[in-house]
Amino acid sequence: MVGIIVALFFVSSAQRKAQKPPPAIITDVEEDQATESLIDAMEHSIATDKATIERIIDEHDCTSAYLDVGTNIAVQIRKLYEPHLYTKPEYWGNRINNITQLRNATMLPRFESTYGPTPRCRVCAFGFEPNPNHHERLGRVQAHLRALGYGVKVFHAAAAETDGVVHFRVTNKKHMKMENEDWGAKRLDKIEDIEYSHHDYKTIAARSVDVSRIFSTIDDALTKKAKALGMENHGPITMKLDIESGEFGVLPHLLRTGVLCRVVDEAYIEWHEWFFTNDPIAHYSTVSIKAMIKGMVTTENKQQSYRAPGDANAIVVAPAPPSFPEAPAADDAMQTFQEYVANNCKTKMLDDDDETYLHDGQPMDTPTHPMC
Ligand SMILES: *[C@@H]1O[C@H](CO)[C@@H](O)[C@H](O)[C@H]1NC(C)=O
Ligand SMILES: *[C@@H]1O[C@H](CO)[C@@H](O)[C@H](O)[C@H]1NC(C)=O
């Protein structure tokens, strides 16, 4: 019986092979059309983002914004609007260092001093999270906060330097030990990363959005709203950036476009330089930051040059892998960046990584009445 089935299988697969049509020849015209439809789709998405941002800011009369870049499960956005749920100090454990500490949510007083007391009806929050493992929950958090009357939009996209698609490493659902746990989900910048991915992870394609474009749109919409309300300027814009080493690409881009200095009043950045021990991506990214800041970007010596990930316009000259004798240390690039910002931007760099309530765990009751 098994033999017959196997034989049938071979016969049918041989037949399939025989019947397989020759590979389609793609004409130049078809290729051009495919490219054009991709560009159309991209332009449509960009227009949709703009309309969404303008509508949310307009409908909620927002004059300030909170940018939650690397939203994960949106605990920080909930702390902004529902701080009363996060006031209890929480035991925070770090298995690697074997420490357990009682910690307060340090963002609560920070939000208070930046945005004032609750309800923060005129603060709109925009999040960015490409990980599909979180999208169902993010939809619920967004609906919950909107029912309370707040202007919240979480983009299901990676914060990046360009509009397009990025590869992203996420935990396989079946390996996720807890519902809300998927730290270390990160963007992959080179094919080796993708192949190297551990079996606990899978690689997905995710939408990427140009953060400079989105931040500018938010800034413009807030300005327009503030003017309409008779204010001279709009209120503060605060950014949290926690994107698992993607900051080494996004920050140079935000600097080069001038958007960081022009738009962001306060920045909380979690640096992930420890990803970068002897890693070529680290090398190019940190070189990219330094080169961009010092105006040293060069297109010479293509043989040995590599496109800096996250910096599409920058070609940096660097020795070929695997040895990087002249690689600036990641912390060197971080320091260069911080000094540049301190001397040239209005942006205040604040050092605070509030990781309390990682799993959230707070109820999302259907509100009986909106706060705003
Ligand atoms: C972690 O710390 C606890 C208490 O401080 C100690 O009893 C335990 O042996 C430590 N575990 C490891 C793996 O070091
Ligand atoms: C948490 O904040 C409360 C109130 O401000 C304070 O009394 C307490 O000492 C803080 N706890 C920790 C662990 O920092």
Side-chain angles (χ1 to χ4, degrees):
M1 184 64 186
V2 171
I4 294 166
I5 292 170
V6 170
L8 279 174
F9 171 79
F10 277 114
V11 169
S12 68
S13 86
Q15 274 172 348
R16 270 204 305 275
K17 262 195 196 120
Q19 287 162 1
K20 211 172 134 199
I25 294 164
I26 298 168
T27 66
D28 283 359
V29 173
E30 282 169 336
E31 203 175 280
D32 290 349
Q33 280 168 351
T35 308
E36 272 160 31
S37 70
L38 273 180
I39 293 169
D40 284 350
M42 189 91 82
E43 281 174 355
H44 176 74
S45 302
I46 290 170
T48 307
D49 294 342
K50 186 162 185 280
T52 304
I53 289 166
E54 287 173 348
R55 179 176 50 77
I56 288 172
I57 288 175
D58 191 43
E59 280 176 2
H60 295 85
D61 282 340
C62 282
T63 53
S64 302
Y66 171 58
L67 312 173
D68 198 57
V69 187
T71 297
N72 199 269
I73 57 165
V75 183
Q76 231 68 312
I77 297 179
R78 291 195 74 195
K79 285 177 188 165
L80 170 68
Y81 294 116
E82 305 179 288
H84 59 282
L85 298 176
Y86 303 93
T87 51
K88 269 202 299 200
E90 206 207 29
Y91 272 103
W92 180 87
N94 182 332
R95 266 173 299 162
I96 298 166
N97 301 325
N98 192 24
I99 47 171
T100 309
Q101 290 172 339
L102 204 51
R103 287 191 176 184
N104 280 322
T106 48
M107 282 310 288
L108 304 191
R110 301 244 189 213
F111 283 145
E112 180 97 23
S113 72
T114 301
Y115 300 115
T118 54
R120 299 183 177 126
C121 296
R122 297 220 166 163
V123 184
C124 278
F126 298 94
F128 303 84
E129 181 52 64
N131 189 343
N133 287 343
H134 299 321
H135 287 169
E136 189 269 332
R137 182 183 169 85
L138 286 172
R140 280 192 284 131
V141 174
Q142 183 173 287
H144 167 71
L145 293 173
R146 283 188 183 179
L148 285 166
Y150 299 114
V152 178
K153 167 71 184 173
V154 180
F155 292 95
H156 292 183
E161 305 80 65
T162 50
D163 288 292
V165 171
V166 291
H167 286 104
F168 199 80
R169 181 191 80 178
V170 300
T171 310
N172 267 325
K173 269 263 184 196
K174 64 177 179 212
H175 294 289
M176 273 170 76
K177 290 181 189 70
M178 301 174 86
E179 186 205 352
N180 304 324
E181 192 168 13
D182 194 2
W183 311 308
K186 76 184 284 276
R187 184 177 142 188
L188 307 169
D189 284 299
K190 63 183 200 301
I191 205 74
E192 296 91 299
D193 277 345
I194 296 163
E195 285 164 358
Y196 181 72
S197 271
H198 192 267
H199 72 278
D200 279 357
Y201 294 108
K202 65 177 178 185
T203 300
I204 55 140
R207 185 185 175 208
S208 73
V209 291
D210 176 344
V211 278
S212 289
R213 171 179 69 76
I214 298 247
F215 288 8
S216 286
T217 304
I218 292 168
D219 184 46
D220 290 347
L222 290 177
T223 302
K224 194 170 153 205
K225 178 49 83 174
K227 291 258 155 64
L229 294 170
M231 297 164 66
E232 209 169 305
N233 298 305
H234 65 67
I237 299 182
T238 296
M239 170 184 75
K240 176 201 91 181
L241 183 69
D242 185 1
I243 53 173
E244 309 298 314
S245 78
E247 69 273 12
F248 283 93
V250 160
L251 288 172
H253 177 66
L254 281 170
L255 270 191
R256 193 180 58 240
T257 53
V259 169
L260 183 81
C261 301
R262 181 168 57 81
V263 170
V264 181
D265 296 289
E266 298 176 332
Y268 295 90
I269 297 168
E270 191 186 327
W271 295 95
H272 298 82
E273 73 280 11
W274 59 86
F275 277 147
F276 284 166
T277 315
N278 204 24
D279 176 338
I281 293 294
H283 178 64
Y284 306 134
S285 302
T286 54
V287 169
S288 158
I289 286 191
K290 292 190 78 117
M292 187 273 314
I293 289 171
K294 294 185 174 168
M296 297 187 316
V297 175
T298 172
T299 52
E300 287 166 26
N301 197 1
K302 284 251 165 61
Q303 190 65 31
Q304 283 198 309
S305 64
Y306 300 85
R307 188 122 53 99
D311 195 356
N313 300 322
I315 302 286
V316 294
V317 174
S323 70
F324 311 102
E326 276 152 275
D331 54 5
D332 191 11
M334 284 155 51
Q335 198 187 333
T336 308
F337 174 85
Q338 270 152 343
E339 279 167 13
Y340 180 90
V341 172
N343 295 327
N344 297 281
C345 306
K346 68 169 178 179
T347 317
K348 256 196 286 177
M349 304 284 286
L350 299 164
D351 202 7
D352 198 336
D353 178 25
D354 175 2
E355 291 199 337
T356 55
Y357 295 87
L358 273 178
H359 308 291
D360 197 338
Q362 299 309 297
M364 279 198 285
D365 300 330
T366 312
T368 47
H369 61 278
M371 303 297 294
C372 304

